[in-house]
Structures are given as structure tokens and as C-alpha cells.
């Protein structure tokens, strides 16, 4: 279950760099109100900063109220890092398999394909019945069903009618917005 009420109570909780009325303003307000993120510094969210894999999984774990502890099989996830418990939860629940058998790559930028796959797997990988309109989402791609599911469920949209841009990096605003849409 996703935490927080369906609609945020206020604005982006004093985040001076969150533009009121922007596509991400409600999502950031919800995320701040529900402890998904506290921002990058006092009073800032940094909506245009690229979001790392560690940040994305941490936001998702917090949104899921995930309580996992323990070590992961990933050599690049220090036990004392802010994201260790989130990655442990994600690995234990099949949300991530890492970038290899032994690495998670926490500092790598999170792509559109990766975040929709994390969200899809957090939903237990539901079937998608739609047709694929995206020429850049091949049927053999690990994210194929995740993209179709995300589009069918209004979690994500393509960048055009025929492109999803799976390898594009996501900003913090985009990641929080996708998680916000996912929780509805």
C-alpha cells in the first residue's frame, strides 16, 4: 500500500524551487507531506536535478512504507548508506535485480525504463493487454511490459505518440511525479 492521502494538503511545503501549478507541484507536496523526500537542502527540492537509482528506490520504498533491513547481494550498497534498507527491500521483493548479479549502481542516473520497471514490479508485475505504440520499446526489452502497464494505468506517458524514450534519464520531479501517479 502507498502512504499518504490521495491529494496533498498544501503546496510543496516551503520548497522555493517548486513552481506552483507545475506538473510536479502536487507530487512534490505529497512527497514532502508524507516523508517520501525532504528535498536536497533546506527549502529546496531540486526538481530539475537528475535522479539517481538510489534516490528513486528510496522514494519508492518510503512510498510503500517498506521496512526492510539487512544486507543486499550488491557490493556497491554500503550497509550504512541512506539507501541500504530501500535497496534491500527492493531486492527482497523483486523490484530490482540490480545492474548485474553483484551491483546495483546506486549513483547511476535512473532512466525512464528503470523507474517504470521498479513501479511495475512493486505491483507484482501485472499483465498488460494493450498494443505497443512505441517504436523504441522492443518486445524483447526487460521493460516492455512495464512500459505498457505504466501507459495503460496513466502512470507514465510517451514523449510522443510513437516514442517512450526508455533510456532518457529522469529528473527528481519526474520520478516523484511517476510515484505519485502510481499510488493513485
Amino acid at each position: 500500500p502507498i502512504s499518504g492521502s490521495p491529494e496533498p494538503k498544501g503546496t510543496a511545503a516551503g520548497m522555493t524551487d517548486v513552481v506552483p501549478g507545475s506538473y510536479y507541484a502536487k507530487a512534490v507536496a505529497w512527497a514532502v507531506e508524507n516523508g517520501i523526500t525532504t528535498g536536497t537542502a533546506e527549502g529546496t527540492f531540486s526538481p530539475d536535478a537528475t535522479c539517481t537509482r538510489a534516490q528513486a528506490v528510496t522514494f519508492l520504498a518510503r512510498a510503500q512504507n517498506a521496512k526492510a533491513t539487512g544486507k543486499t547481494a550488491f557490493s556497491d550498497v554500503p550497509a550504512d548508506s541512506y539507501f541500504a534498507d530501500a535497496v534491500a527491500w527492493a531486492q527482497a521483493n523483486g523490484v530490482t535485480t540490480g545492474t548485474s548479479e553483484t551491483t546495483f549502481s546506486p549513483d547511476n542516473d535512473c532512466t525512464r525504463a528503470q523507474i517504470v520497471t521498479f513501479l511495475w514490479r512493486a505491483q507484482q508485475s501485472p499483465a498488460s493487454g494493450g498494443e505497443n505504440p512505441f517504436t523504441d520499446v522492443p518486445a524483447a526489452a526487460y521493460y516492455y511490459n512495464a512500459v505498457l502497464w505504466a501507459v495503460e494505468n496513466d502512470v507514465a506517458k510517451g514523449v510522443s505518440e510513437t516514442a517512450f524514450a526508455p533510456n532518457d534519464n529522469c529528473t527528481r520531479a519526474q520520478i516523484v511525479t511517476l510515484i505519485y501517479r502510481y499510488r493513485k
Side-chain angles (χ1 to χ4, degrees):
I2 299 291
S3 68
S5 61
E7 290 300 319
K9 295 176 184 78
T11 61
M15 298 291 175
T16 58
D17 58 353
V18 175
V19 178
S22 62
Y23 78 87
Y24 58 85
K26 280 186 179 182
V28 173
W30 165 80
V32 171
E33 287 173 12
N34 290 287
I36 310 305
T37 183
T38 56
T40 54
E42 183 71 32
T44 60
F45 177 71
S46 302
D48 297 325
T50 303
C51 195
T52 66
R53 288 171 49 84
Q55 291 168 338
V57 168
T58 300
F59 294 163
L60 177 57
R62 289 175 182 166
Q64 294 280 92
N65 289 318
K67 303 294 182 220
T69 57
K71 289 189 64 125
T72 72
F74 303 128
S75 61
D76 58 356
V77 178
D80 62 348
S81 63
Y82 77 88
F83 53 87
D85 287 346
V87 175
W89 164 81
Q91 184 180 27
N93 289 283
V95 173
T96 186
T97 57
T99 53
S100 78
E101 287 185 22
T102 60
T103 59
F104 176 70
S105 303
D107 297 325
N108 285 7
D109 297 337
C110 189
T111 66
R112 288 172 51 83
Q114 291 168 347
I115 187 60
V116 297
T117 301
F118 294 157
L119 296 171
W120 176 68
R121 289 176 180 163
Q123 282 291 316
Q124 308 301 313
S125 306
S128 58
E131 289 191 34
N132 178 12
F134 305 120
T135 58
D136 58 354
V137 178
Y142 75 88
Y143 50 83
Y144 178 82
N145 287 314
V147 168
L148 296 185
W149 167 83
V151 171
E152 288 172 13
N153 289 281
D154 294 322
V155 173
K157 298 172 177 36
V159 296
S160 74
E161 287 186 24
T162 59
F164 186 76
N167 298 317
D168 283 4
N169 294 328
C170 288
T171 64
R172 289 172 50 84
Q174 291 166 338
I175 295 287
V176 169
T177 299
L178 292 171
I179 294 171
Y180 174 73
R181 290 177 185 160
Y182 158 83
R183 66 100 178 106
K184 286 187 170 188

